[in-house]
Amino acid sequence: MTVHDPDLAQQRTTQVFPQDTLATFAANYPEMPHTLAHRLQLDERLTLDALASLAAHLPDASIEYNRGDLPVGVDGKPGSNGLTIEETIRNIATSDSWAVLKNIEQVPAYRALLLDLLEELRPAIEATTGPMLTPQAFVFISSPDAVTPYHYDPEHNILLQLTGTKTMTQFPAGNPRFAPDTCHENYHRGGARELPWSDDLLTGGTPFTIHPGEAVYVPVMAPHFVRNGPASSISLSITWRSGWSYAEAEARCFNAALRRIGLSPRAPGRWPAANRAKSTGWRIIRRLTRA
């Protein structure tokens, strides 16, 4: 897909994250959620028409869209809204839905956008967690008051708000009260990212409300849910992995193997724990299984 973007060269010379925001990010990365400022404008690549066209060209695995009138907790994947992805996006103000376009970096114009943004963050990231791995980008398009249910994600993540408002309520990463160890293990072995919810968890959450020009950082595997504001919304999520995040995932897989033989393994450590022994153990198991 070719996306016409006459302003791309100019955007590459404009710093999106102000210097004080970069300092805030460096002080809090990788474990503390926090809000950030950004100057990313709703350029041609991120309008509803452009995103609907993008969705039509992405593979099915890169598209997810559902009803927006959902509870915070769902059992399995949310239900369909009965529309096509293009209908959902073009009519997002009235379709009562939320949609996510995954791995938009598959398209060159969007990959350029992602890499330009991450380049500004690279010094702070690599000074702390080492090389920035597997850059990815996701666009979320949400109807008024739509809910993205309680879940977690394996990447370091910054969600930039472009239109509308939304409130993300985050919960402490690595705390089994909010995401039991068995949920982590199942997810890293191919299970769903949606988490079990009960209303008594809410007291442990921290809400972050973001408007256009604001963003929120989400630590690796920090449980969260999102409630859209009274207007439709477009948000851009830029993500990356680190050697630590991959080792934590591999350690979870190793723990799942131990649990299957009747053991009760200790959870992997959060940053800066390296989790090298369990990570190496899982790599050995995986090689032996393949052999």
Side-chain angles (χ1 to χ4, degrees):
M1 174 187 177
T2 301
V3 178
H4 176 59
D5 184 19
D7 299 322
L8 183 57
Q10 180 180 354
Q11 290 168 14
R12 287 176 175 167
T13 64
T14 301
Q15 184 169 314
V16 171
F17 296 107
Q19 284 302 127
D20 57 347
T21 280
L22 294 176
T24 297
F25 174 74
N28 288 280
Y29 178 76
E31 284 290 78
M32 291 296 295
H34 56 281
T35 55
L36 304 163
H38 70 82
R39 303 188 184 104
L40 183 62
Q41 301 298 313
L42 189 68
D43 70 44
E44 173 177 304
R45 293 165 290 186
L46 297 168
T47 63
L48 288 180
D49 281 345
L51 294 173
S53 178
L54 172 63
H57 289 80
L58 290 174
D60 290 345
S62 296
I63 297 167
E64 182 178 350
Y65 59 109
N66 302 284
R67 295 182 3 251
D69 56 338
L70 296 169
V72 169
V74 296
D75 183 11
K77 288 294 181 184
S80 168
N81 63 8
L83 305 173
T84 68
I85 182 61
E86 291 182 86
E87 290 170 337
T88 298
I89 292 174
R90 294 185 192 278
N91 300 287
I92 197 65
T94 58
S95 62
D96 195 10
S97 305
W98 61 267
V100 55
L101 307 183
K102 306 175 184 179
N103 298 115
I104 62 172
E105 73 280 356
Q106 297 171 82
V107 177
Y110 293 93
R111 182 168 182 82
L113 173 63
L114 169 64
L115 295 183
D116 287 346
L117 293 172
L118 288 180
E119 192 60 35
E120 296 185 20
L121 301 164
R122 182 185 297 275
I125 291 169
E126 297 196 340
T128 304
T129 55
M132 185 165 46
L133 308 173
T134 323
Q136 296 177 301
F138 308 79
V139 173
F140 295 88
I141 308 104
S142 307
S143 295
D145 303 313
V147 171
T148 305
Y150 189 53
H151 69 286
Y152 48 20
D153 303 295
E155 308 94 357
H156 307 276
N157 177 15
I158 295 177
L159 182 70
L160 297 89
Q161 192 68 13
L162 301 174
T163 68
T165 64
K166 59 178 44 172
T167 298
M168 175 188 287
T169 301
Q170 289 195 46
F171 298 80
N175 186 325
R177 176 189 170 199
F178 304 105
D181 292 334
T182 52
C183 289
H184 284 272
E185 294 161 15
N186 291 337
Y187 169 71
H188 287 299
R189 295 302 309 278
R193 68 185 63 218
E194 287 76 23
L195 289 165
W197 173 259
S198 63
D199 289 343
D200 63 345
L201 297 178
L202 191 57
T203 57
T206 301
F208 295 90
T209 298
I210 51 175
H211 300 79
E214 297 176 330
V216 60
Y217 171 71
V218 190
V220 169
M221 302 304 282
H224 57 281
F225 66 87
V226 182
R227 192 180 301 276
N228 209 49
S232 53
S233 164
I234 300 174
S235 309
L236 172 67
S237 176
I238 59 172
T239 76
W240 63 96
R241 299 292 297 267
S242 61
W244 171 79
S245 77
Y246 277 119
E248 191 268 352
E250 290 164 343
R252 293 287 188 183
C253 292
F254 186 77
N255 278 1
L258 296 180
R259 205 176 297 279
R260 284 199 300 274
I261 61 173
L263 300 179
S264 298
R266 178 180 298 180
R270 295 292 300 179
W271 174 263
N275 299 310
R276 288 193 185 94
K278 288 185 176 181
S279 172
T280 300
W282 176 245
R283 293 181 188 184
I284 292 171
I285 290 174
R286 192 166 53 191
R287 282 199 297 268
L288 292 174
T289 301
R290 290 173 178 171

